[in-house]
Amino acid sequence: MSSLNDPLLFIQGPPVFHLPPEFKEVIEFEKLVEDGEEESTSIYEKNREMSGTTSAILDKLYFLAKPFQRQVYRPLNFHLKGGGILQGEVEEVNGKSVTIKLNSGENAVYPIEQVIKITWRGSIMK
């Protein structure tokens, strides 16, 4: 077994496929019409109303709203439009707004478009 293509470790299990990010955005749904043999294909895309930066922030907020990440990544600094900085953790994320639990114990609700960047320990969350 001196070939470089031989596996180092083999684990019995189902195959796993990783799709590139551009394929995750588009979901194709095919529907057959019952009356005839016609076939229609509908393509659903992610919400394109948001800019690329806002959708990236939204993905980070969904990640940070999970219980384990809420414990690990604290305190977070949320940089808002207008120069405001909030320190706290993500309590809840809706499609359009985020609830931030401040260090004082209060909850603050902001539109996702207001959040410019999120930093943790002085570095920007990627």
Side-chain angles (χ1 to χ4, degrees), residues 25-41:
E25 291 184 12
V26 178
I27 300 170
E28 294 185 2
F29 176 75
E30 295 180 0
K31 179 180 176 185
L32 294 175
V33 179
E34 295 177 358
D35 296 336
E37 295 180 12
E38 297 179 19
E39 180 177 325
S40 66
T41 303

Side-chain angles (χ1 to χ4, degrees), residues 70-78 85-91 99-108 110 119-121:
R70 214 183 278 167
Q71 296 296 323
V72 173
Y73 296 105
R74 58 164 118 158
L76 293 170
N77 291 324
F78 300 92
I85 299 175
L86 297 175
Q87 192 173 41
E89 61 186 56
V90 179
E91 185 71 26
T99 304
I100 300 171
K101 184 175 182 181
L102 303 175
N103 288 343
S104 62
E106 300 174 10
N107 287 344
Y110 287 95
T119 58
W120 177 63
R121 292 187 177 182

